[in-house]
């Protein structure tokens, strides 16, 4: 027994156990120690309750995010209750604790406003259920990943680049989020191709369909896939999208079983289309330009040297600019003939 503490108390320790405990309770340090033990006991009890009620709560709520939120609230409530009990032991009533929390929240209201906003948005995210833990989503900036955790404050995404992305729920509700695995993991892709008008259009369509059908991960056929009230063919289908300026634009549409390797599937289909087109009477179109000269275009005088392997001779035209035979498209190897065609030109040498 601490003799100094006994002297300060001004009393001697009683003989009975109950009286002895009541005597110890008169020391403030003892009450503080008991309060700390109660808080620690509340933390341990919260973990025990989470383990005990984890499976029943998971069976009760089918959504994993909601189940984790309920267990988190249970843990926090247990610790808060233990804190209130500890505060009453050291002399703080419930009203004093609530008042202190209210004053503290009012002082730090501006600082806590973003956190409170994220918590409120987290409630809406859990209620609206735009995505769930394990879903593959894509943000509006093109980043894709799997939802790893959903809390009241943030959403944690495990990206395909093997990195973690933590986004506040307030930001998640304001941006567009594409969910690839909410209801059905099957995803339809489209690959366009521009072919020339002179090629075999039917052969091009068959090649594009075959190239997608033979790719691993692509649904080759079967019953039509139903999306809402509409039905789409399951096998790859090539359609004419438009008659463009440089050729006919075709689009092959196909379904992939899982959305986890979309870039690889697209690359494989494009590679097979390229390989199969080389063996058919089909040419990929690209923009062509023709330069035409008429009476309003002026006149360019050039000379071509045959068999020398040198660059074309550059001469000045009527406008004073130098011309190139390869660029102008007009050649004239006979100056005399050019003089006859142009009476105002210089006489032949």
């Amino acid at each position: 027994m601490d003799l100094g503490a006994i002297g300060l108390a001004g009393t001697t320790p009683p003989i009975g156990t109950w009286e002895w405990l009541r005597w110890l309770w008169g020391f403030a340090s003892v009450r503080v120690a008991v309060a700390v033990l109660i808080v620690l006991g509340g933390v341990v009890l919260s973990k025990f309750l989470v383990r005990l009620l984890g499976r029943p709560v998971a069976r009760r709520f089918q959504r994993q995010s909601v189940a984790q939120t309920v267990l988190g609230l249970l843990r926090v409530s247990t610790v808060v209750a233990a804190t209130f009990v500890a505060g009453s032991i050291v002399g703080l009533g419930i009203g004093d604790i609530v008042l202190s929390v209210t004053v503290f929240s009012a002082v730090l209201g501006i600082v806590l406003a973003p956190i409170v906003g994220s918590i409120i948005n987290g409630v809406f995210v859990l209620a609206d259920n735009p995505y769930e833990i394990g879903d593959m989503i894509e943000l509006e900036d093109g980043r894709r990943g799997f939802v790893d955790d959903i809390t009241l404050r943030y959403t944690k995404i495990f990206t395909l680049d093997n990195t973690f992305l933590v986004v506040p729920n307030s930001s998640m509700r304001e941006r567009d989020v594409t969910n690839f695995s909410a209801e059905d993991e099957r995803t339809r892709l489209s690959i366009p191709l521009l072919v020339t008008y002179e090629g075999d259009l039917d052969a091009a369509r068959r090649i594009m369909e075959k190239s997608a059908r033979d790719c691993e991960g692509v649904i080759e056929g079967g019953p039509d896939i139903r999306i809402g009230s509409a039905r789409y063919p399951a096998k790859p289908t090539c359609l004419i999208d438009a008659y463009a300026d440089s050729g006919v634009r075709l689009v092959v549409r196909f379904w992939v079983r899982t959305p986890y390797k979309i870039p690889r599937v697209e690359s494989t289909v494009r590679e097979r289309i390229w390989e199969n087109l080389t063996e058919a009477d089909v040419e990929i179109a690209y923009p062509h330009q023709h330069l035409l000269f008429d009476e309003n275009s002026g006149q360019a005088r050039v000379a071509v040297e045959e068999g020398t392997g040198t660059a074309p001779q550059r001469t000045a035209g009527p406008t004073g600019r130098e011309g190139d035979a390869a660029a102008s498209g007009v050649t004239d190897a006979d100056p005399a003939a050019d003089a006859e065609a142009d009476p105002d030109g210089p006489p032949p040498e």
Side-chain angles (χ1 to χ4, degrees):
M1 182 63 62
D2 190 355
L3 297 178
I6 295 175
L8 292 175
T11 58
T12 57
I15 303 300
T17 303
W18 181 252
E19 290 78 6
W20 184 76
L21 292 176
R22 293 181 60 184
W23 176 78
L24 284 178
W25 194 254
F27 294 96
S29 59
V30 174
R31 293 195 299 269
V32 172
V34 173
V36 173
L37 291 176
I38 290 177
V39 174
L40 296 177
V43 175
V44 175
L45 179 61
S46 65
K47 295 181 179 180
F48 174 76
L49 291 177
V50 169
R51 291 183 179 180
L52 180 64
L53 302 177
R55 292 184 178 179
V57 171
R59 289 194 296 265
R60 176 65 178 81
F61 300 96
Q62 296 181 355
R63 294 172 53 190
Q64 184 179 355
S65 59
V66 177
Q68 290 183 358
T69 302
V70 171
L71 294 176
L73 293 176
L74 177 62
R75 176 181 297 177
V76 173
S77 300
T78 304
V79 176
V80 170
T83 304
F84 275 106
V85 174
S88 63
I89 290 177
V90 297
L92 294 176
I94 297 179
D96 298 333
I97 298 176
V98 173
L99 180 61
S100 62
V101 172
T102 304
V103 173
F104 181 76
S105 300
V107 173
L108 299 180
I110 299 178
V111 179
L112 298 177
I115 299 177
V116 175
S118 296
I119 293 176
I120 295 176
N121 284 281
V123 174
F124 283 103
V125 168
L126 293 174
D128 297 339
N129 191 24
Y131 47 82
E132 187 52 64
I133 295 177
D135 289 350
M136 180 179 178
I137 63 175
E138 180 180 359
L139 303 180
E140 57 185 3
D141 56 4
R143 289 180 293 183
R144 297 179 181 178
F146 298 92
V147 179
D148 184 73
D149 191 13
I150 304 174
T151 66
L152 290 177
R153 295 186 295 109
Y154 60 84
T155 297
K156 183 183 292 186
I157 303 173
F158 190 75
T159 66
L160 299 182
D161 298 328
N162 197 25
T163 58
F164 271 116
L165 180 65
V166 180
V167 184
N169 289 326
S170 58
S171 179
M172 291 297 293
R173 293 194 68 234
E174 294 176 355
R175 65 176 62 190
D176 296 333
V177 179
T178 303
N179 194 334
F180 288 96
S181 53
E183 300 293 339
D184 192 346
E185 290 188 346
R186 294 175 299 183
T187 305
R188 191 177 70 172
L189 303 179
S190 300
I191 296 180
L193 181 67
L194 191 67
V195 299
T196 59
Y197 285 99
E198 295 79 10
D200 191 343
L201 191 61
D202 293 335
R205 297 178 61 181
R206 289 194 301 268
I207 288 174
M208 296 183 67
E209 293 176 355
K210 181 179 182 300
S211 301
R213 188 168 52 250
D214 295 340
C215 180
E216 182 181 359
V218 176
I219 300 177
E220 299 180 1
D224 292 345
I225 296 178
R226 182 174 181 178
I227 305 297
S229 59
R231 293 181 179 272
Y232 300 92
K235 64 180 181 179
T237 305
C238 184
L239 304 175
I240 299 177
D241 184 54
Y243 294 103
D245 296 336
S246 301
V248 182
R249 185 166 64 243
L250 306 177
V251 176
V252 57
R253 297 178 177 178
F254 55 92
W255 293 83
V256 295
R257 296 184 177 89
T258 57
Y260 310 132
K261 299 180 180 179
I262 289 179
R264 179 180 299 179
V265 173
E266 287 184 338
S267 177
T268 303
V269 173
R270 294 178 189 273
E271 180 181 355
R272 295 190 177 183
I273 291 176
W274 177 270
E275 294 176 353
N276 294 330
L277 286 179
T278 57
E279 304 175 357
D281 185 19
V282 179
E283 182 181 358
I284 298 178
Y286 58 92
H288 292 74
Q289 293 183 353
H290 297 274
L291 302 180
L292 302 178
F293 292 89
D294 55 13
E295 64 276 4
N296 299 321
S297 302
Q299 185 178 15
R301 299 178 180 179
V302 296
V304 179
E305 297 181 1
E306 298 181 355
T308 60
T310 59
Q313 181 179 357
R314 305 175 65 90
T315 58
T319 60
R321 299 180 181 178
E322 291 185 350
D324 193 337
S328 64
V330 179
T331 60
D332 189 357
D334 190 355
D338 182 65
E340 294 177 359
D342 186 5
D344 298 332
E349 296 180 359

